[in-house]
Amino acid sequence: MKKIFLFAAAVATLGLTSCDLDNVENIGEMSTSEFPQTDEDVEAVLAGVYQNLNTTHANPQMSFEYLACLASDDQLGGGGTNDKLMQAEDLICNYNADMTNQFYVDRFSGIARANTLLKVLQEAESMDEAPKKQGMGETLFLRAFYYYELASMYGNVPLVLDPEQAETSQGDVKVLWAQILQDLRDACEYLPAVKATTAGRVDKYTAEAMLGRAWLFYTGMYCNGTDITALTSTTYNPLTSVELNDGTTLTKADVIKYIDDCVDNSGYSLVPDFRNLWAYTNKLVVNDYPYTQNQGLKWVEDDNAINPEALFSIKFNKLASWSTTIGYANGIALHFGVRGGQAYGNTYPFGQGWGAGPVAPNLVKDWKAADPDGKDVRLKATVCDVNDKNEMPNYVRGGWADFVQESDYYSKKWSPICSKNDGSIKNDDGTPKEYVACFETLMYPDNWETSGVDNFQLSNIHDLVLIRFADVLLMQSELKEDVTGINKVRARAGLDPIASYSLMALQNERRWELACEGIRWNDIRRWHIAATALAKQENQDIYYCGNPDINRAHNGGYVARYNATAGFQKMPETQIALGTVKQNDGWTSADAEYTGW
């Protein structure tokens, strides 16, 4: 008999946002022989499966979302001279024996919870079918998502589907991916054709979108085979069918039907103005930030509004504290903030943090070359150029004087956002602050559980959106090889339509639309263009500790490291010692170890 452990805070992940935490109850411990039996029971256990999304934000630097930004050709590592993990992720190198072990452990914990819930749902004969199917669909999605991240990050990981199963070693990576695709397909079938009304919840259309993402990655990345030579080949001829573990076959045509259904019937839509997707257009900032003022912009999440373009988001709340978990705050926002050490007035409206993921100069150069007339609204909406007086007119280069790979470019999308104070937030001496580190402390002023209101490490609680409707439109164009989805996305960006489909046009559109959202890394890998793309980062102008430098090759350079590893991370040595996994290619020699800039 398994025991299910749930905690009150976990329930908050099921859409209870920063102002809606009054009715959370402590579920406690119950046995699988009697639980779940009701709709409320399912919701409570499911909260524990969702909660794993927040667990990894206690150590976001180890997560796949974080790695996928830094490892791509569009962002560098950044951080300080002691933040070698950040730089190692960018350089496809390793720093210490267990650099990402916590993420590995956390995601398998989420999978274990999902397996337990799936088993008790399958055995709960007295439950009504509707809540049972809903629970099955959401849980299958989450298990597939957790495995998708692990498989993207490490390659072949053990496939565990039974909560009673003993520790399992790696099997065939094809079987692992067949299960991911099967879980997502089954989630599409279990979930009703109804758009979720609670932010953060998974629905049928979220599962369809994630099925498209997983399909495109697996059928492209593994189209030549499973060994390192095949994975790093520059030949791209994606698979058109995959045998699933239940004996059925999933085809490209099947996936197109799911994506078409998502586009046509989901109710999700493009936000009319691209800039309104990002927190710097929030009502407390929009009219004071020169880039956005007097343009009628309004953030889609103002006052807990639901983003109509967001199919899948990680939700955060005001429970983050040193005594509970900092994972209830948006840890990626903190890490991707402007590297600190200066007055907030110098970086306004962008908040401060650890300086991870500075935008690579090659992204800006490539984008400007593709859009010489500057018509594409997305470049300035995505990238903050500190030399632009409409951005940070008082920015002091260097901030903390140890900044590595400073590029003069910050991504705006996942940044923390500070705001001018209304007088309600005080300094320690009782005087009003001029600026608050996180706008959320003013937008949602009540019932903060953090160690002091307006804590720049704990008060970032805006959503981290992982799947947008724009991505689904671009997946539809890619799968069907037509321009319909591309041109919808281009129209929103203020660009003319293109007449005919090409893979290069699709690749460019995905790069511009989804820049700095953690999507590009798996895109360049599955298209088998990663080595060529990554090479463009070398010799770009940067600053090291405030002094001019270039982004120099380390450990043989980006191309050598990618070709040695196919972009898969080092297996944590703790997992190697357990005997469940073998070390990945490219990680056993000294040239894999990053020792510093």
Side-chain angles (χ1 to χ4, degrees):
M1 181 184 298
K2 286 283 184 182
K3 297 286 187 179
I4 300 173
F5 296 90
L6 294 167
F7 302 93
V11 181
T13 64
L14 291 189
L16 297 180
T17 54
S18 51
C19 298
D20 193 12
L21 297 170
D22 296 334
N23 297 317
V24 175
E25 296 180 359
N26 191 346
I27 302 302
E29 177 187 344
M30 303 177 109
S31 74
T32 58
S33 65
E34 61 186 24
F35 190 72
Q37 297 295 329
T38 67
D39 294 9
E40 291 76 15
D41 291 343
V42 174
E43 289 288 290
V45 184
L46 189 54
V49 186
Y50 272 97
Q51 191 263 350
N52 193 258
L53 294 169
N54 293 90
T55 297
T56 58
H57 276 261
N59 296 282
Q61 71 278 14
M62 300 180 187
S63 71
F64 177 69
E65 289 98 355
Y66 193 100
L67 170 93
C69 287
L70 273 57
S72 82
D73 56 327
D74 288 348
Q75 289 177 266
L76 304 176
T81 53
N82 290 326
D83 293 320
K84 293 182 176 66
L85 181 149
M86 297 179 190
Q87 296 132 40
E89 290 184 336
D90 167 51
L91 299 167
I92 320 179
C93 294
N94 179 63
Y95 177 66
N96 84 36
D98 276 337
M99 186 171 84
T100 60
N101 185 59
Q102 192 60 53
F103 176 74
Y104 187 104
V105 171
D106 287 342
R107 278 294 183 252
F108 268 108
S109 175
I111 289 166
R113 290 185 178 191
N115 286 339
T116 298
L117 179 54
L118 287 169
K119 184 168 185 176
V120 295
L121 283 171
Q122 290 163 350
E123 296 174 355
E125 297 179 356
S126 62
M127 277 193 68
D128 292 339
E129 280 300 300
K132 184 175 180 178
K133 287 184 176 180
Q134 183 74 33
M136 288 285 292
E138 290 187 64
T139 308
L140 283 168
F141 172 92
L142 290 167
R143 182 171 74 177
F145 178 77
Y146 297 154
Y147 263 124
Y148 169 86
E149 290 201 327
L150 287 166
S152 295
M153 190 155 175
Y154 299 107
N156 194 10
V157 296
L159 179 62
V160 182
L161 302 176
D162 186 340
E164 306 289 346
Q165 186 175 341
E167 287 188 0
T168 303
S169 58
Q170 294 160 301
D172 186 343
V173 71
K174 293 180 181 179
V175 175
L176 171 64
W177 276 99
Q179 190 65 46
I180 293 169
L181 294 170
Q182 182 177 308
D183 280 359
L184 290 169
R185 182 208 60 187
D186 290 350
C188 294
E189 298 303 318
Y190 276 118
L191 292 166
V194 179
K195 181 182 178 182
T197 57
T198 303
R201 293 297 291 266
V202 168
D203 59 26
K204 175 185 181 69
Y205 308 108
T206 311
E208 290 175 336
M210 190 64 211
L211 176 60
R213 179 177 290 182
W215 170 271
L216 285 168
F217 180 72
Y218 174 67
T219 59
M221 184 72 179
Y222 289 91
C223 68
N224 303 306
T226 61
D227 63 22
I228 194 69
T229 301
L231 295 170
T232 58
S233 166
T234 57
T235 299
Y236 175 59
N237 185 25
L239 306 174
T240 58
S241 66
V242 176
E243 297 298 319
L244 303 183
N245 294 337
D246 64 358
T248 62
T249 300
L250 185 68
T251 68
K252 180 180 178 180
D254 295 330
V255 176
I256 288 173
K257 288 179 181 178
Y258 286 116
I259 292 296
D260 282 348
D261 182 52
C262 184
V263 171
D264 296 339
N265 301 313
S266 69
Y268 292 96
S269 61
L270 292 178
V271 171
D273 193 307
F274 182 82
R275 296 168 294 182
N276 287 335
L277 288 165
W278 314 113
Y280 58 77
T281 58
N282 78 76
K283 67 181 184 180
L284 301 177
V285 167
V286 66
N287 290 322
D288 290 321
Y289 174 25
Y291 171 68
T292 58
Q293 63 188 185
N294 303 319
Q295 297 190 56
L297 300 175
K298 179 178 173 58
W299 185 41
V300 291
E301 293 180 34
D302 267 349
D303 299 316
N304 274 330
I306 295 178
N307 181 348
E309 190 166 332
L311 283 89
F312 184 44
S313 305
I314 301 179
K315 304 293 292 183
F316 302 97
N317 56 62
K318 293 186 285 187
L319 291 172
S321 74
W322 307 121
S323 60
T324 57
T325 175
I326 60 175
Y328 295 130
N330 186 338
I332 282 185
L334 167 66
H335 276 250
F336 285 10
V338 177
R339 190 153 179 80
Q342 55 187 292
Y344 277 94
N346 293 355
T347 65
Y348 177 86
F350 300 103
Q352 297 182 26
W354 309 143
V359 173
N362 47 285
L363 169 62
V364 178
K365 291 176 183 177
D366 288 351
W367 207 334
K368 288 181 176 179
D371 180 39
D373 297 326
K375 293 181 179 180
D376 191 341
V377 69
R378 295 171 297 188
L379 175 54
K380 286 190 175 181
T382 299
V383 180
C384 171
D385 180 350
V386 302
N387 298 302
D388 183 342
K389 295 305 179 184
N390 282 323
E391 294 289 353
M392 296 184 193
N394 301 311
Y395 179 77
V396 177
R397 183 173 290 113
W400 286 325
D402 66 340
F403 199 173
V404 177
Q405 293 177 294
E406 183 177 11
S407 68
D408 281 351
Y409 300 118
Y410 286 94
S411 171
K412 298 180 180 183
K413 289 181 172 179
W414 287 359
S415 173
I417 304 298
C418 63
S419 68
K420 295 180 179 179
N421 191 14
D422 64 0
S424 63
I425 307 297
K426 310 293 184 181
N427 292 306
D428 291 342
D429 63 3
T431 60
K433 290 185 174 183
E434 183 178 2
Y435 292 88
V436 294
C438 305
F439 76 92
E440 293 95 325
T441 57
L442 294 180
M443 185 170 286
Y444 314 112
D446 300 323
N447 302 320
W448 281 89
E449 298 293 334
T450 61
S451 302
V453 177
D454 193 41
N455 183 304
F456 83 108
Q457 296 186 66
L458 300 175
S459 299
N460 294 297
I461 60 170
H462 53 288
D463 292 356
L464 184 67
V465 179
L466 300 183
I467 305 178
R468 291 197 284 117
F469 190 66
D471 189 2
V472 181
L473 289 172
L474 294 173
M475 286 192 282
Q476 184 185 50
S477 273
E478 185 170 3
L479 288 163
K480 299 174 80 169
E481 299 185 45
D482 70 21
V483 297
T484 304
I486 292 175
N487 283 337
K488 289 177 182 178
V489 171
R490 286 177 64 83
R492 198 256 300 268
L495 298 175
D496 295 332
I498 59 174
S500 59
Y501 177 86
S502 71
L503 179 59
M504 181 170 290
L506 181 280
Q507 290 172 339
N508 285 337
E509 210 61 51
R510 286 186 65 83
R511 190 182 188 191
W512 314 141
E513 175 67 27
L514 304 171
C516 305
E517 295 180 53
I519 306 299
R520 174 74 173 170
W521 177 232
N522 268 5
D523 275 355
I524 60 175
R525 296 168 75 198
R526 68 182 177 86
W527 290 324
H528 293 262
I529 62 171
T532 301
L534 293 169
K536 291 185 176 182
Q537 295 177 110
E538 292 183 6
N539 300 316
Q540 296 292 315
D541 291 333
I542 59 166
Y543 298 88
Y544 173 73
C545 298
N547 298 310
D549 196 359
I550 60 170
N551 197 42
R552 292 176 280 108
H554 285 71
N555 299 61
Y558 290 102
V559 173
R561 291 301 304 147
Y562 183 80
N563 286 335
T565 63
F568 292 119
Q569 266 292 302
K570 179 180 180 179
M571 286 288 187
E573 291 184 18
T574 293
Q575 307 307 321
I576 300 289
L578 292 172
T580 58
V581 294
K582 297 178 181 179
Q583 191 52 267
N584 285 327
D585 289 323
W587 294 105
T588 57
S589 59
D591 62 3
E593 300 300 315
Y594 176 65
T595 58
W597 197 259

